[in-house]
């Protein structure tokens, strides 16, 4: 049985993410156990890891580094063991090189790019909040069955600008192009909240659980 670790570092929408992952595990038909933890030992031993995130880039980064050994366990899981990792919202943004919210804050540097204020029309409200149509840019196993025109739920004022266009998987139009999902090697991230995106979100989570990069 494989283990999926949902990291609880005090800055994520844990109850909703947990419920959605439980449904996705059941849909996958695989033998999986879901744990909610901040234990570096359990994260290092898990077969898959989910990084949630709500709030500011800097605050979430500090919360992650505030748990001794957590980031090191993640780095080992991703780079040495090649385990699939999913980042959600700010959990995805932390994968970038740099965050520009509240000054400059280093990210984890897993996917080259910067987290910048979303480019938008002055007439559109910030944060970008609510449902928006996805525009799928790249075929990816985690996006199987998800098409341009499907809707997902967003709550954010910043997004990731990928240095390499090939890492951009999905975007949306909100007075400009906004990154909605990124992916490289065994790392995948969504700016939208799959746990709040009904069928589209559950399909993505199920695909991710079945994904073998």
């Amino acid at each position: 049985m494989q283990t999926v670790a949902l990291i609880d570092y005090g800055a994520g929408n844990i109850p909703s993410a947990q419920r959605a992952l439980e449904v996705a595990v059941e849909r996958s038909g695989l033998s999986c156990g879901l744990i909610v933890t901040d234990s570096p030992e359990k994260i290092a031993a898990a077969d898959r890891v989910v990084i949630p995130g709500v709030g500011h880039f800097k605050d979430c980064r500090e919360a992650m580094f505030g748990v001794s050994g957590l980031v090191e366990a993640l780095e080992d899981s991703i780079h040495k063991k090649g385990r699939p990792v999913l980042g959600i919202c700010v959990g995805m943004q932390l994968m970038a090189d740099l965050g520009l919210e509240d000054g400059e804050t280093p990210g984890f540097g897993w996917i080259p790019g910067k987290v910048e204020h979303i480019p938008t029309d002055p007439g559109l409200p910030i944060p970008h909040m609510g449902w928006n149509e996805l525009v799928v840019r790249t075929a990816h196993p985690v996006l199987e069955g998800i098409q341009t025109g499907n809707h997902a739920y967003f709550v954010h004022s910043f997004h990731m600008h990928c240095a390499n266009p090939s890492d951009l998987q999905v975007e949306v139009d909100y007075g400009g192009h906004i990154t909605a999902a990124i992916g490289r090697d065994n790392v995948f991230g969504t700016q939208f909240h799959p746990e709040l995106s009904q069928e589209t979100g559950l399909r993505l989570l199920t695909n991710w659980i079945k994904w073998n990069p």
Side-chain angles (χ1 to χ4, degrees):
M1 183 176 72
Q2 67 170 317
T3 301
V4 179
L6 173 62
I7 301 179
D8 183 2
Y9 61 101
N13 188 14
I14 298 300
S16 294
Q18 182 178 358
R19 287 193 296 270
L21 284 164
E22 288 170 348
V23 173
V25 165
E26 184 176 353
R27 287 189 175 196
S28 75
L30 301 177
S31 179
C32 286
L34 174 66
I35 60 172
V36 179
T37 183
D38 67 352
S39 164
E41 293 77 18
K42 292 181 179 180
I43 291 166
D47 300 288
R48 298 173 184 272
V49 181
V50 181
I51 309 171
V54 174
H56 286 214
F57 186 102
K58 184 177 182 180
D59 292 342
C60 288
R61 183 186 186 279
E62 289 179 350
M64 292 277 284
F65 277 95
V67 181
S68 179
L70 191 156
V71 175
E72 290 80 3
L74 269 173
E75 296 276 358
D76 180 75
S77 181
I78 291 171
H79 299 304
K80 293 184 179 179
K81 298 174 182 175
R83 302 285 169 76
V85 175
L86 174 67
I88 297 173
C89 195
V90 183
M92 180 208 81
Q93 294 179 3
L94 290 172
M95 298 174 174
D97 294 315
L98 188 69
L100 302 181
E101 186 176 11
D102 298 326
E104 294 189 357
T105 304
F108 298 146
W110 299 340
I111 295 183
K114 295 180 181 180
V115 177
E116 306 169 337
H117 201 277
I118 60 176
T120 188
D121 187 294
L124 295 174
I126 300 296
H128 170 221
M129 181 165 60
W131 295 90
N132 206 332
E133 290 188 0
L134 303 178
V135 179
V136 178
R137 293 300 186 195
T138 308
H140 192 289
V142 177
L143 300 172
E144 183 178 354
I146 297 173
Q147 302 174 351
T148 293
N150 289 162
H151 288 76
Y153 190 83
F154 293 79
V155 183
H156 67 119
S157 300
F158 287 75
H159 80 129
M160 181 172 171
H161 177 75
C162 293
N164 300 313
S166 60
D167 295 333
L168 175 64
Q169 306 296 326
V170 183
E171 60 186 9
V172 296
D173 183 4
Y174 189 70
H177 297 297
I178 298 174
T179 297
I182 60 174
R184 168 183 280 209
D185 300 329
N186 55 318
V187 174
F188 198 91
T190 65
Q191 181 60 64
F192 60 90
H193 288 268
E195 75 277 13
L196 301 177
S197 296
Q198 299 182 1
E199 184 59 35
T200 296
L202 289 175
R203 183 180 294 273
L204 184 142
L205 293 174
T206 303
N207 289 343
W208 178 78
I209 288 169
K210 296 165 68 174
W211 179 39
N212 291 304

